[in-house]
Amino acid sequence: NIPLDATINGIVVGVEKFGSRDNQFGHVVDYSIRLVKNGNIMGDNKADTLTHWISSDLWGIYGSSSDLWGTTWTPLEINADNFGVIFSAQDFGSVAAGVDNIRVTIYYTNPITINAPSNLVVSSISSSEIQLTWQDNSNNEDNFVLERSLKSDFSTITSIPIAVNQQSYTDANLL
């Protein structure tokens, strides 16, 4: 199952198919390949209606890691029992054809979760200096930002970048 907070980036469908002949007497081509969302056929038809199927198994690949097939998708729609693929072919001249496998690959990204620091302790060092210490609960942050203000209404804020894995900051510029 796709995590419910993920973003769907693209969908790839692979179809393993074959046609018994490809000559002037007959051939097979894709007719339609589309996705099913909420039980309804949706989005772009990705069929390759020009390329003749060959007599040995061949994988046809449709879509890409960034192709949403002309519609939007949520993880709930992908995970649903009524999500799927509809595929059909067109036969020109009594050709035996078959599909051995259909596989669907969903490309998605998970949102990045950064755990907030905890156990903040403020220690007075002098009348003009304090030290802040905390527990760093993240292992995937680029940095944190400490914001301070000399005004009680926070109308003016100074942002102080805190380095990765830093667990203390000393402010020596108190009034």
Side-chain angles (χ1 to χ4, degrees), residues 68-141:
L68 295 174
W69 295 58
T71 189
T72 60
W73 296 94
T74 67
L76 209 54
E77 293 165 333
I78 299 289
N79 293 338
D81 291 339
N82 56 5
F83 167 77
V85 175
I86 186 163
F87 179 78
S88 61
Q90 190 166 13
D91 170 4
F92 295 93
S94 300
V95 176
V99 171
D100 290 332
N101 294 291
I102 296 178
R103 69 176 175 223
V104 179
T105 304
I106 308 298
Y107 290 87
Y108 64 93
T109 52
N110 285 316
I112 297 173
T113 302
I114 297 177
N115 298 321
S118 62
N119 301 325
L120 176 64
V121 175
V122 180
S123 303
S124 176
I125 296 173
S126 71
S127 62
S128 63
E129 188 173 9
I130 61 169
Q131 182 177 46
L132 307 174
T133 59
W134 57 85
Q135 180 178 334
D136 181 358
N137 296 315
S138 279
N139 60 4
N140 60 342
E141 77 270 18

Side-chain angles (χ1 to χ4, degrees), residues 5-157:
D5 56 351
T7 300
I8 308 301
N9 300 321
I11 301 171
V12 173
V13 175
V15 179
E16 185 181 17
K17 58 192 178 180
F18 67 92
S20 65
R21 75 179 136 171
D22 178 18
N23 56 37
Q24 71 271 21
F25 302 110
H27 63 273
V28 177
V29 295
D30 297 352
Y31 181 72
S32 178
I33 181 160
R34 296 180 66 196
L35 298 177
V36 178
K37 179 199 292 192
N38 298 322
N40 299 302
I41 300 169
M42 301 290 294
D44 298 338
N45 181 3
K46 299 292 183 179
D48 177 358
T49 58
L50 300 176
T51 302
H52 297 189
W53 294 14
I54 61 174
S55 60
S56 59
D57 287 348
L58 177 69
W59 280 96
I61 304 299
Y62 309 87
S64 73
S65 61
S66 60
D67 185 351
L68 295 174
W69 295 58
T71 189
T72 60
W73 296 94
T74 67
L76 209 54
E77 293 165 333
I78 299 289
N79 293 338
D81 291 339
N82 56 5
F83 167 77
V85 175
I86 186 163
F87 179 78
S88 61
Q90 190 166 13
D91 170 4
F92 295 93
S94 300
V95 176
V99 171
D100 290 332
N101 294 291
I102 296 178
R103 69 176 175 223
V104 179
T105 304
I106 308 298
Y107 290 87
Y108 64 93
T109 52
N110 285 316
I112 297 173
T113 302
I114 297 177
N115 298 321
S118 62
N119 301 325
L120 176 64
V121 175
V122 180
S123 303
S124 176
I125 296 173
S126 71
S127 62
S128 63
E129 188 173 9
I130 61 169
Q131 182 177 46
L132 307 174
T133 59
W134 57 85
Q135 180 178 334
D136 181 358
N137 296 315
S138 279
N139 60 4
N140 60 342
E141 77 270 18
D142 291 329
N143 71 319
F144 284 105
V145 176
L146 177 67
E147 294 182 334
R148 70 183 296 272
S149 179
L150 297 176
K151 300 187 181 243
S152 62
D153 66 355
F154 284 85
S155 59
T156 305
I157 295 176

